[in-house]
Amino acid sequence: TLPAKRIAITGAAGQICYSLLFRIAKGDVYGPDQPVILQLLDIPQAMGALKGVLMELEDCAFPLVEEIIATDDPVEAFKDADALFLVGSRPRSKGMERADLLAVNAEIFKVQGKALNDAAKRDAKVIVVGNPANTNALTLAEHAPDFPRENITAMLRLDHNRFLSQMAAKAGIAVRDIEKAVVWGNHSPTMFPDWSNTVANGKKVADIVDDETWYRDTLIPTVGKRGAAIIEARGASSAASAASAAIDHMHDWINGTDGKWVSMGIPTDGTAYGIPEGLICGMPVTCEGGKYKLVEGIEIDDYARKMIDLSVEELKEERQAALGK
Ligand code: NAI
């Protein structure tokens, strides 16, 4: 058998992890032959609940799970990690302003950035799920100066998957046939699902649907407000679909996408698509050999330009509130 991969997961006692942990343990990230060690982090107040989750994981007797560590110490949780799912964050409480939310989360991701810097493997792959995901990922990177910045990403995949499903339903096509879809920007209602290059079975999806008004006035807000719609319907936030998207993101990064585009929040260097450097922004990538690569040379029309700039502006404001720069 292969040596086990160490997977660190934060927010382990929360809703998303109640789905995520069991799928990782089953082999959905690395595959059915790769043993794993789960290194679970939550806050001291959640240790009781985490113990219950641990008991359930044990009761599944997953053959791939070699060991499970549960702790409230980020350094212990991140030690020698190969992959990190940073799901835990502070949700907005009643009366909390956006700036306060950004500030408390900046504090969490500062501590975790230091732990990442000190404890994780240098080639570890990091996905930040906890909101505000893009800016939390940026804070993490700022406090992990010795850790490769390109290995820190934020989750746009849930938005990407929502975008695919909405297009598939409208166009009467299968999700698996859709190529070249991308969600740009921040994981927030300003994100921009871009279908200008999207094709299915050799045809442009925009031509199949042939309804630009539906795209602009229905599809884009539907994807942007999907999280709120699920809370409204379910009385609880999207957890299983968020976990599924996090698995897709990490699975594809590790195993490759066969040339298919996926959306990932990645660090920007100021050289592509008029997006300034020093942000973590949703962009189209392909993955191969354990690395992601930005899709280059996409044409950006006036509408896309306006929509991308709007979301990038919000990322800059969040950076200012979280990092003061
Ligand atoms: P939840 O509230 O059920 O669980 C969060 C867990 O994180 C709790 O167990 C909490 O104790 C823990 N936590 C808080 N601070 C922590 C810290 N400093 N270190 C370790 N653990 C900590 O929330 P849920 O539903 O699991 O969602 C988690 C996050 O994911 C939220 O921020 C949510 O907004 C975000 N999210 C992001 C999505 C995306 O597309 N990027 C999609 C859906 C949710």
Side-chain angles (χ1 to χ4, degrees), residues 118-173:
D118 293 347
K121 284 198 183 129
R122 291 306 88 166
D123 61 354
K125 293 178 166 59
V126 182
I127 175 176
V128 177
V129 175
N131 279 320
N134 301 51
T135 299
N136 287 342
L138 190 61
T139 306
L140 191 82
E142 288 291 312
H143 293 95
D146 308 321
F147 185 84
R149 187 174 268 248
E150 69 268 20
N151 288 4
I152 297 177
T153 65
M155 184 162 98
L156 268 292
R157 187 60 176 263
L158 181 55
D159 313 300
H160 179 95
N161 287 347
R162 287 167 172 168
F163 179 32
L164 296 183
S165 284
Q166 294 295 323
M167 281 191 290
K170 179 75 174 177
I173 52 182

Side-chain angles (χ1 to χ4, degrees), residues 13 41 43 77 83-84 99 119 151 159 184 194-195 200-201 211 220 255 263 273 289 299-300 320:
L41 180 75
I43 54 178
L84 297 93
N151 288 4
D159 313 300
W184 300 87
D194 180 3
W195 78 351
N201 306 312
D211 187 348
I220 294 174
N255 299 292
S263 308
Y273 300 117
E299 218 175 296
I300 307 289
Q320 181 66 38

Side-chain angles (χ1 to χ4, degrees), residues 204-224:
K204 279 196 125 178
V205 171
D207 292 341
I208 303 173
V209 173
D210 193 24
D211 187 348
E212 187 71 14
T213 309
W214 172 81
Y215 167 63
R216 293 190 187 191
D217 298 347
T218 302
L219 179 133
I220 294 174
T222 298
V223 174

